[in-house]
Structures are given as structure tokens and as C-alpha cells.
Amino acid sequence: MSYIGCMEKPRSTLPDALAVELAGKDLIVFDAECVLCSGFFRFMYRRNGAFNFVTAQSPLGQRLYAALNLALTDFETNLVIVDGQIHQELDAFSMAMQELNWPWKALGAARFLPAWIKSPLYKTIRRNRFRVFGRYDTCMVPDAELRGRFLKNGF
């Protein structure tokens, strides 16, 4: 994983100013150029009205990734923030699935996989996502309803 600066570990909590800005909202931060990541966003949008969204490329997304010491251009993970807890990689996917109804909720059990399985599995998906699923050349233009689910400065 590449970090900003000199190989710092990613943070697991947000600075107070960002935490206040998020106002305790459950949030999914995703790479809007990645077809797989955007598909995950659309899937969650249709199935869970509790989540708000932020694109990684947006001003707020950039501040979140920077605060967590994550790369600001080659987004290596979606972020899922639930009850103030930040989840990354496969744990982010698992937490999001856990917030859905059955049968999707069952996919939340992926969080119980050992790290020696989760990490290589996620890295393989991450490394091949553009080759397999593709990349959007243009930005999504959300309608008013969808736009209402994005946080301020999150799109």
C-alpha cells in the first residue's frame, strides 16, 4: 500500500474537524472512475437509504484520504464509515454488506476471514479492477435525488 509521506501507517480515526463535518453519518467513499467501485456505490444506493456517499476524487474525498494517509490519486481502497468507525479494503465491503437486508447481509461474514486470506484477495481484485471491469472516461452526472445522498463537497 502506498501512503503519503514516508510510509506511515494509515489512520483508523478521523481528525476532529473531519469527524464534525461528517456529523456521524454512515458513509461510503468510492473511486468514481472505477467501474467496479462505482457499481458497488450504485448497488448500495439502491439497497440502503442510510448511507451517504463521497467520491474519492471530490474535495471532501481528497481530505478524507489525506487524513487517513492514503494515496490521493491511485485509490487503493473504498472507505466505509459506520458509527464513526473507518473500514478499509475487504472489511469495508463486509461492513457495508452487514448493513443490508438478507441475503446480502450474509456477505458481511467476510470480515471473519483471516488476514492472510483477506489481504491477498483484496489486493488481487484491486490490482486487476481496471483491466477486468474498466474505467469511466466521463464523470457521472447524478439526478437531484441521487445528488441529495452525497455530502457537501463530496461530488
Side-chain angles (χ1 to χ4, degrees):
M1 186 178 273
S2 60
Y3 306 108
I4 298 169
C6 56
M7 297 305 289
E8 302 170 27
K9 290 182 74 174
R11 293 175 54 113
S12 59
T13 59
L14 292 172
D16 291 342
L18 272 172
V20 167
E21 188 171 350
L22 298 184
K25 294 180 176 158
D26 291 344
L27 183 66
I28 294 175
V29 186
F30 66 99
D31 180 352
E33 293 178 358
C34 170
V35 172
L36 177 63
C37 305
S38 293
F40 171 65
F41 146 71
R42 285 184 183 90
F43 177 87
M44 293 303 296
Y45 171 72
R46 288 189 305 266
R47 287 170 178 79
N48 184 303
F51 277 107
N52 288 280
F53 303 99
V54 169
T55 65
Q57 292 84 355
S58 70
L60 179 55
Q62 290 286 284
R63 289 196 344 260
L64 286 164
Y65 276 76
L68 296 169
N69 298 318
L70 295 170
L72 297 177
T73 55
D74 184 23
F75 306 105
E76 297 180 344
T77 182
N78 288 332
L79 302 173
V80 174
I81 302 172
V82 175
D83 296 329
Q85 297 296 311
I86 302 165
H87 305 275
Q88 298 180 37
E89 298 190 349
L90 195 56
D91 288 336
F93 171 80
S94 298
M95 180 53 67
M97 294 297 105
Q98 184 178 322
E99 297 297 312
L100 298 178
N101 293 324
W102 293 97
W104 305 111
K105 185 182 276 300
L107 294 172
R111 71 185 181 281
F112 297 116
L113 292 171
W116 62 269
I117 293 174
K118 283 193 294 190
S119 185
L121 175 62
Y122 189 85
K123 286 177 182 174
T124 299
I125 293 167
R126 180 182 70 214
R127 187 174 39 253
N128 295 298
R129 65 192 169 125
F130 293 127
R131 186 173 53 78
V132 173
F133 297 99
R135 175 177 260 170
Y136 288 118
D137 294 329
T138 59
C139 295
M140 161 183 59
V141 179
D143 61 22
E145 179 184 339
L146 178 56
R147 184 97 178 178
R149 298 276 298 278
F150 279 84
L151 294 185
K152 182 179 178 186
N153 296 316
F155 186 80

